[in-house]
Amino acid sequence: MLLNSLLLLTSLLRPIAGCEDHDWTSPVLGGYVDHSMMRRHDLSKRIQPTALKTPAQQIKDLHWGQINFLHTTDTHGWLAGHLLDENYSADYGDFADFVQKMKAKADRLGVDLLLIDSGDLHDGTGFGDITKPNGKLTVPIFQRLPYDLLSIGNHELYTTPIANDTYHNFAPHWGGRYLTSNVEFNDTGVLKPFSQRYAYWETKQGIRIMSFAFIFNFTGNSNATVVTPVGTAVKQSWFQEQVKRTDIDMFLVAGHITLRGSTEWNLIYSAIREHHPTIPISIFGGHRHVRDSVIFDANAVGIASGRYCETVGWLSIDGLPSSVTRAKSPQGNNATKITAKPSAIPGVTPNNQSDLSYTRQYLDFNRFSFEHHTGTTEATFNTSLGTNITEKITSDIDSLPSLTTKLGCVPDSYYLSRYPITSNQSLFNYLTTVVFPKVVVDPKRTNMSRIVLTNTGGFRYDLLKGPFTIDNAYQTNPYQNYWLRMTAPWSVAKNLLANMQTDKVYKKRGEPATANGTTIVKTEGYVTHDDFGSDGDNVVHIDQGSAETPHYVQANVSVDGIGDDTLVDVYGTSFFTPAAGKYLTGNTSDWVSADGNFSSFDTLPRMAQQFWSKDC
Ligand SMILES: *[C@@H]1O[C@H](CO)[C@@H](O)[C@H](O)[C@H]1NC(C)=O
Ligand SMILES: *[C@@H]1O[C@H](CO)[C@@H](O)[C@H](O)[C@H]1NC(C)=O
Ligand SMILES: *[C@@H]1O[C@H](CO)[C@@H](O)[C@H](O)[C@H]1NC(C)=O
Ligand SMILES: *[C@@H]1O[C@H](CO)[C@@H](O)[C@H](O)[C@H]1NC(C)=O
Ligand SMILES: *[C@@H]1O[C@H](CO)[C@@H](O)[C@H](O)[C@H]1NC(C)=O
Ligand SMILES: *[C@@H]1O[C@H](CO)[C@@H](O)[C@H](O)[C@H]1NC(C)=O
Ligand SMILES: *[C@@H]1O[C@H](CO)[C@@H](O)[C@H](O)[C@H]1NC(C)=O
Ligand SMILES: *[C@@H]1O[C@H](CO)[C@@H](O)[C@H](O)[C@H]1NC(C)=O
Ligand SMILES: *[C@@H]1O[C@H](CO)[C@@H](O)[C@H](O)[C@H]1NC(C)=O
Ligand SMILES: *[C@@H]1O[C@H](CO)[C@@H](O)[C@H](O)[C@H]1NC(C)=O
Ligand SMILES: *[C@@H]1O[C@H](CO)[C@@H](O)[C@H](O)[C@H]1NC(C)=O
Ligand SMILES: *[C@@H]1O[C@H](CO)[C@@H](O)[C@H](O)[C@H]1NC(C)=O
Ligand SMILES: [Zn+2]
């Protein structure tokens, strides 16, 4: 999701026992695993203590190819998992054990398995955002995973402190696997590549890879960084030099770029195809927070793997010749051959013939799913690595009391986009009919007729029934835009919402790829329709639904029957009041602070403390 604004343990002694932990040595760049830790195997509580148990569901087995990929994107600090949603309740310790076991399985099968991330680690949970610097606790946890290729996201670039920390500490950690093909850092006055621009390497099974990682043409970055538009970057000499090489078997390109309908991906794809009409290209997109897969041509395929530790993407490829890889197809080269008409990308003659076959799946991020795919049970899944990470997450969270202090109990579940705003299960319906009338008001002006307007883009996640903490407040709306108030005649105030919906400056973003269709299934969740069809969701879900959300919503308080000349109070946040002001004319006041430093971020915590039960 493109956001236009920004916000401003204990180690325990345990018994040492043997275990068959697999060595995570990177296929290319050498080992980076703490082997002494890997030897320890302990039996202790896993996933976060308060997480809910996932119900048993129908899960499809994965098809393993000669080369396979696990993909995450837009994790936004959700490394503790979804404590109030049993469907996505695994944490990054569970994920670490899953990855470790999947890599071990790849070795047993004699195939490649690579782990890829497409950026946006920051902004989205209290766990990630409450610390200074932002991500102080979450970033080290993320770094424990054996990623083979990573790209930067826009949430690594909004503010100088985060960009600086990413440049100085995060990027170098990966030893050449964190790529920034179109970002530079202003390092005390000198522009330097943010990280390596490309990587050329060979997989365990001998596939010679050229990899790049781009971010979309982002312009909201801190002045400590420079983002080069993709179309410019692919014309630069370093890119041209690398792309022309003839010793490449496959291109892997990660990118914090919406997969579908993107000029940037088209430019990258065509810049490669210009020199290599048939070499396989595997693309790993993000940013849009959706599950999706796009066929560029018969051997150029892209996947996008959702958001917030809800989804792990899976991509498999078969049909590579023995001159390219030592891997044999463990389950036959009988997955999906691409027969669909390739995307029509200007200037490219797409390759329409290929021996390759593909599968893609979107795995739900929970223990049940991870155990299923690793052939383990609750008793055999845990290893010392994952347990250690899980315990670190628990102790880190416990070290920040405000993350676990219950402010109140959300009375019901209110969803961001599953229901239309007319439904009482819509978060925006709840905000405008219940929350804003109660808590967004100047305490000295509670008897005034008023409207309370908010942009919907600042809200990022559902408000789920159960305990509400500062962590949940960050998840729902992390932005500190102050509530302001002005007084205006009803004649203009009554048209404000309609005017703002079409306001040019804050124009609504494009729609996310919509899922459609339902099947006979057991649980609610994502139902994805992509270029491969409708069988991508690894757990077959009942469609949880998705509804259009207008760009703005509004609460109306005591406005029934008032005349055009009546002066009403108009509330909005500093994020958009400059735009709203131009529609408010006549006998108006200036924008003033509505209630001290009361901000969008503070709204739900105030509701929780003043109006919700403390008992849950
Ligand atoms: C986890 O591993 C680290 C590094 O090996 C070690 O220092 C730490 O004590 C371990 N933590 C727990 C909770 O076991
Ligand atoms: C493994 O982790 C699960 C999930 O947290 C936990 O409930 C269980 O006790 C652990 N099992 C073992 C055998 O350690
Ligand atoms: C940038 O990071 C470096 C290394 O962590 C630190 O020394 C420096 O103070 C930081 N600068 C800013 C402006 O945050
Ligand atoms: C880099 O930063 C210096 C100040 O440290 C500034 O003068 C210069 O204009 C910046 N360069 C770019 C390209 O932004
Ligand atoms: C970025 O802008 C800030 C505030 O305008 C200024 O103090 C700083 O020097 C600039 N930094 C760079 C690297 O240009
Ligand atoms: C990104 O920048 C390139 C120029 O380098 C331009 O051709 C392209 O249209 C831009 N894409 C978007 C989505 O703005
Ligand atoms: C693919 O081939 C394997 C073994 O040759 C077979 O077990 C499997 O059922 C086949 N799958 C499909 C989708 O045909
Ligand atoms: C495949 O591409 C070739 C060469 O561009 C073209 O002649 C042929 O018509 C294409 N076939 C299909 C089925 O699109
Ligand atoms: C929504 O309205 C229905 C019907 O009035 C009611 O049964 C339900 O409890 C309401 N749900 C919420 C979340 O308020
Ligand atoms: C609201 O109360 C203030 C004083 O408390 C009073 O001056 C004002 O007229 C009242 N406005 C309405 C609409 O009743
Ligand atoms: C739903 O998906 C089908 C393909 O299965 C497509 O033809 C149809 O246009 C889609 N409908 C909507 C409303 O998106
Ligand atoms: C998780 O799945 C269960 C089973 O379908 C469903 O009842 C529940 O609503 C889901 N939880 C959330 C928070 O969506
Ligand atoms: Zn994101």
Side-chain angles (χ1 to χ4, degrees):
M1 181 185 291
L2 171 60
L3 289 152
N4 300 307
S5 92
L6 50 103
L7 42 136
L8 272 233
L9 187 119
T10 47
S11 90
L12 304 166
L13 288 175
R14 5 195 108 264
I16 301 195
C19 72
E20 68 302 337
D21 282 340
H22 175 65
D23 178 352
W24 272 6
T25 305
S26 155
V28 207
L29 294 147
Y32 47 103
V33 164
D34 180 339
H35 291 271
S36 61
M37 186 193 77
M38 300 287 290
R39 275 196 294 276
R40 298 172 8 160
H41 193 151
D42 22 61
L43 303 176
S44 59
K45 206 161 176 343
R46 291 299 312 283
I47 71 178
Q48 291 306 300
T50 58
L52 304 168
K53 194 172 161 57
T54 311
Q57 297 162 87
Q58 184 200 328
I59 293 189
K60 295 175 218 163
D61 288 333
L62 297 174
H63 174 101
W64 284 74
Q66 290 164 293
I67 183 166
N68 309 277
F69 302 91
L70 291 171
H71 181 221
T72 56
T73 186
D74 296 272
T75 51
H76 288 288
W78 284 80
L79 309 190
H82 293 242
L83 303 183
L84 298 176
D85 187 344
E86 61 270 40
N87 306 296
Y88 311 110
S89 52
D91 68 20
Y92 245 57
D94 299 302
F95 183 54
D97 277 345
F98 171 66
V99 171
Q100 181 182 33
K101 289 183 158 62
M102 294 293 273
K103 287 224 172 200
K105 179 168 182 181
D107 285 350
R108 284 198 304 276
L109 294 172
V111 299
D112 283 313
L113 174 64
L114 304 176
L115 177 63
I116 299 185
D117 182 77
S118 296
D120 268 9
L121 273 61
H122 294 272
D123 304 333
T125 64
F127 182 30
D129 301 345
I130 208 168
T131 57
K132 280 205 169 61
N134 179 305
K136 185 175 162 192
L137 298 176
T138 49
V139 165
I141 287 161
F142 190 91
Q143 289 182 168
R144 305 267 305 265
L145 274 286
Y147 282 97
D148 297 290
L149 171 64
L150 307 94
S151 82
I152 202 167
N154 49 310
H155 284 265
E156 278 74 72
L157 292 169
Y158 279 110
T159 70
T160 299
I162 293 177
N164 182 64
D165 185 52
T166 307
Y167 173 77
H168 283 290
N169 303 315
F170 187 70
H173 166 83
W174 299 101
R177 296 185 293 270
Y178 189 77
L179 302 182
T180 50
S181 301
N182 64 330
V183 187
E184 284 164 302
F185 189 79
N186 192 333
D187 195 346
T188 57
V190 182
L191 282 190
K192 296 183 181 165
F194 197 98
S195 184
Q196 284 79 1
R197 296 193 190 284
Y198 66 91
Y200 177 75
W201 46 287
E202 198 173 309
T203 66
K204 270 189 185 168
Q205 302 304 332
I207 304 174
R208 296 169 304 168
I209 301 280
M210 175 61 76
S211 44
F212 304 112
F214 289 88
I215 185 168
F216 65 97
N217 293 359
F218 179 49
T219 55
N221 52 309
S222 126
N223 65 350
T225 63
V226 175
V227 175
T228 305
V230 170
T232 310
V234 298
K235 292 199 187 81
Q236 289 172 341
S237 57
W238 70 268
F239 182 88
Q240 285 299 319
E241 216 168 277
Q242 296 306 316
V243 82
K244 281 178 188 160
R245 291 169 65 144
T246 54
D247 53 356
I248 297 168
D249 298 323
M250 181 182 287
F251 285 90
L252 295 190
V253 195
H256 196 76
I257 308 175
T258 300
L259 190 59
R260 187 168 294 275
S262 135
T263 9
E264 286 97 330
W265 279 127
N266 291 355
L267 286 163
I268 296 162
Y269 163 78
S270 54
I272 295 172
R273 277 285 172 261
E274 191 181 337
H275 300 287
H276 300 283
T278 60
I279 287 182
I281 307 174
S282 303
I283 287 172
F284 300 87
H287 186 57
R288 195 56 159 275
H289 294 189
V290 294
R291 297 177 171 190
D292 200 6
S293 184
V294 168
I295 290 170
F296 288 77
D297 68 30
N299 49 14
V301 161
I303 186 169
S305 303
R307 57 164 200 181
Y308 303 162
C309 300
E310 291 174 343
T311 301
V312 184
W314 170 264
L315 185 70
S316 75
I317 307 178
D318 285 296
L320 298 165
S322 59
S323 57
V324 162
T325 177
R326 291 183 284 277
K328 309 264 183 299
S329 290
Q331 293 172 257
N333 178 16
N334 58 1
T336 309
K337 284 226 167 48
I338 294 172
T339 50
K341 197 172 172 326
S343 335
I345 293 170
V348 186
T349 309
N351 174 35
N352 62 14
Q353 286 190 329
S354 172
D355 293 329
L356 303 189
S357 64
Y358 289 87
T359 68
R360 58 81 190 89
Q361 287 281 289
Y362 311 105
L363 280 53
D364 283 1
F365 206 100
N366 61 54
R367 274 288 293 252
F368 186 76
S369 159
F370 293 169
E371 286 167 12
H372 178 94
H373 293 299
T374 52
T376 56
T377 63
E378 188 169 307
T380 58
F381 181 80
N382 304 352
T383 74
S384 57
L385 176 80
T387 307
N388 182 290
I389 295 173
T390 294
E391 289 180 356
K392 181 80 173 97
I393 294 172
T394 309
S395 65
D396 281 351
I397 289 178
D398 288 346
S399 75
L400 300 167
S402 64
L403 292 183
T404 50
T405 303
K406 187 169 68 182
L407 302 178
C409 301
V410 186
D412 225 312
S413 289
Y414 304 99
Y415 297 95
L416 192 64
S417 56
R418 293 189 192 186
Y419 298 95
I421 60 167
T422 49
S423 158
N424 66 354
Q425 287 172 280
S426 153
L427 174 63
F428 295 114
N429 185 287
Y430 183 58
L431 290 170
T432 54
T433 61
V434 181
V435 178
F436 291 170
K438 284 192 196 297
V439 300
V440 184
V441 60
D442 181 334
K444 295 187 293 297
R445 301 176 66 84
T446 53
N447 65 348
M448 289 289 290
S449 295
R450 60 189 186 271
I451 60 176
V452 185
L453 186 72
T454 184
N455 61 316
T456 55
F459 291 86
R460 304 183 45 150
Y461 189 63
D462 308 328
L463 180 64
L464 298 179
K465 183 173 182 160
F468 183 84
T469 65
I470 286 295
D471 198 27
N472 302 116
Y474 275 100
Q475 291 165 0
T476 315
N477 187 329
Y479 298 109
Q480 254 157 9
N481 297 305
Y482 296 115
W483 283 108
L484 302 178
R485 169 185 67 74
M486 82 186 278
T487 301
W490 180 238
S491 57
V492 292
K494 70 182 180 189
N495 298 321
L496 179 62
L497 179 62
N499 281 324
M500 287 299 285
Q501 302 294 19
T502 57
D503 189 82
K504 282 194 186 61
V505 182
Y506 294 85
K507 206 174 65 187
K508 187 163 164 40
R509 295 184 296 274
E511 291 312 315
T514 48
N516 84 41
T518 49
T519 11
I520 356 104
V521 281
K522 299 196 177 70
T523 66
E524 285 197 350
Y526 291 109
V527 175
T528 309
H529 180 80
D530 62 23
D531 284 4
F532 284 88
S534 306
D535 59 352
D537 299 295
N538 189 237
V539 170
V540 179
H541 293 291
I542 296 168
D543 196 344
Q544 66 186 21
S546 76
E548 304 274 309
T549 304
H551 203 194
Y552 290 85
V553 294
Q554 177 177 296
N556 297 319
V557 185
S558 321
V559 298
D560 284 347
I562 61 176
D564 273 1
D565 294 337
T566 309
L567 292 180
V568 302
D569 283 352
V570 178
Y571 292 81
T573 73
S574 50
F575 178 59
F576 61 83
T577 44
K582 65 179 180 283
Y583 300 112
L584 299 170
T585 53
N587 182 15
T588 63
S589 73
D590 287 337
W591 289 109
V592 295
S593 168
D595 186 8
N597 284 339
F598 183 53
S599 75
S600 42
F601 173 78
D602 303 317
T603 311
L604 285 166
R606 179 180 284 187
M607 183 73 191
Q609 281 165 316
Q610 296 184 355
F611 295 98
W612 288 341
S613 155
K614 298 287 177 284
D615 194 17
C616 55

